[in-house]
Amino acid sequence: MAKKWRLKKHSILPGFGLSLGFTMLYLSLLVLLPLSMIFINTSSMGWSDFWATVTEPRVIASYKISFGTAFAAACINLLFGVLIAWVLVRYSFPGKRIIDGLVDLPFALPTAVAGIALTTLYTEKGWIGQFLSFKVAFTPLGITIALTFIGLPFVVRMVQPVLQNLEREMEEASAILGANRFQTFVRVIVPEILPAAMTGFALAFARAIGEYGSVVFIAGNMPMKTEITPLIIMTKLEQYDYAAATAIGAVMLVFSFAILLFINGLQWWTNRKFVHN
């Protein structure tokens, strides 16, 4: 009886069974089936060939570049994305709507166009690069900048609604009880926005790991130095070595899934510790 009541409670909208079946079919065709093909193609290799492919020094160097720059870009977006969301929610100033719209520009702009634009800016003779005493384009720093560009909207758009719904009375009550601005921010605001910020961080990180179009121009693609893993996969595909390409892709998939699972677990822990307590 309890099971039937629970099912009835969740079936608020009519056609729950049909919509759930359509959802599972849709996800199976668009997500599970394509991902399963990676492992099916990889299984055509022997274990020794698989291990030799995914542990080549050039491939391992690309793992370090891809995951390291993606993590650095997600950390930068976590810090400045929260700051931008705070400014957009808490202050009124001329041009606010334009800046709010610019946040979504990386979503709409083709990634290849973004890559060319960033490369033009940060080369040694570019508008910004000529004033810097260090090299940005064709280095891991340039890759990090490109990944920061494409990942910024995820953090801003996740934190912004939470800040808009955050009641000012809580901050005023904190101030009345004697807390200064820093204490109010750390003990009142941060616990509220932390789960959304962690979700934005996870989305930005996941987006950055597989990014290709905006990175391939500014990276320079130097083996062992600035070569990203998606570029190696593309190279394998152009050489018709599909098994090697899917083997490297499978490693990326497993590592990405494990990292995202850890981040989601951390988000669940912060949500339980700071929001529900």
Side-chain angles (χ1 to χ4, degrees), residues 226-243:
T226 60
E227 193 176 37
I228 57 174
T229 306
L231 179 62
I232 290 186
I233 295 174
M234 283 296 298
T235 304
K236 298 289 185 185
L237 291 174
E238 290 172 354
Q239 296 170 349
Y240 301 103
D241 192 355
Y242 299 121

Side-chain angles (χ1 to χ4, degrees), residues 63 67 205 209 249-261:
Y63 295 150
F67 284 99
F205 179 68
I209 288 176
V251 172
M252 288 281 289
L253 180 62
V254 171
F255 274 103
S256 301
F257 183 76
I259 293 172
L260 288 177
L261 192 63

Side-chain angles (χ1 to χ4, degrees), residues 16-237:
F16 173 73
L18 181 62
S19 58
L20 178 62
F22 177 77
T23 300
M24 296 305 296
L25 177 63
Y26 194 81
L27 289 176
S28 298
L29 290 176
L30 291 183
V31 179
L32 296 179
L33 187 60
L35 292 182
S36 65
M37 291 306 298
I38 293 177
F39 296 99
I40 292 173
N41 278 333
T42 304
S43 64
S44 64
M45 304 175 69
W47 170 253
S48 58
D49 291 338
F50 170 80
W51 186 252
T53 300
V54 301
T55 57
E56 284 181 19
R58 184 175 172 181
V59 177
I60 291 178
S62 73
Y63 295 150
K64 295 178 181 177
I65 291 292
S66 291
F67 284 99
T69 53
F71 182 76
C75 289
I76 294 171
N77 279 325
L78 178 63
L79 177 63
F80 290 98
V82 171
L83 179 63
I84 292 172
W86 177 271
V87 170
L88 290 176
V89 171
R90 291 305 175 93
Y91 301 104
S92 297
F93 51 89
K96 178 180 175 180
R97 290 187 177 181
I98 296 176
I99 294 176
D100 195 21
L102 286 176
V103 171
D104 293 326
L105 191 59
F107 280 149
L109 191 67
T111 54
V113 175
I116 293 173
L118 291 171
T119 306
T120 305
L121 281 176
Y122 287 102
T123 53
E124 292 181 351
K125 296 182 179 179
W127 285 5
I128 297 177
Q130 63 180 324
F131 298 109
L132 301 176
S133 59
F134 51 88
K135 193 174 179 181
V136 175
F138 316 129
T139 68
L141 178 59
I143 299 173
T144 304
I145 290 174
L147 297 180
T148 304
F149 174 81
I150 59 103
L152 176 65
F154 292 102
V155 178
V156 177
R157 293 309 183 210
M158 289 303 299
V159 174
Q160 198 171 5
V162 179
L163 284 174
Q164 286 172 338
N165 294 327
L166 191 62
E167 297 177 355
R168 292 287 186 95
E169 287 78 6
M170 296 175 62
E171 300 172 39
E172 294 172 357
S174 176
I176 291 172
L177 293 173
N180 56 35
R181 291 184 177 182
F182 179 75
Q183 290 172 326
T184 300
F185 178 76
V186 172
R187 298 186 178 183
V188 177
I189 298 174
V190 169
E192 293 292 331
I193 67 174
L194 192 56
M198 292 302 297
T199 302
F201 173 84
L203 292 174
F205 179 68
R207 178 72 173 82
I209 288 176
E211 178 59 21
Y212 177 79
S214 64
V215 177
V216 70
F217 298 104
I218 200 170
N221 309 321
M222 292 178 283
M224 309 295 290
K225 293 182 179 178
T226 60
E227 193 176 37
I228 57 174
T229 306
L231 179 62
I232 290 186
I233 295 174
M234 283 296 298
T235 304
K236 298 289 185 185
L237 291 174

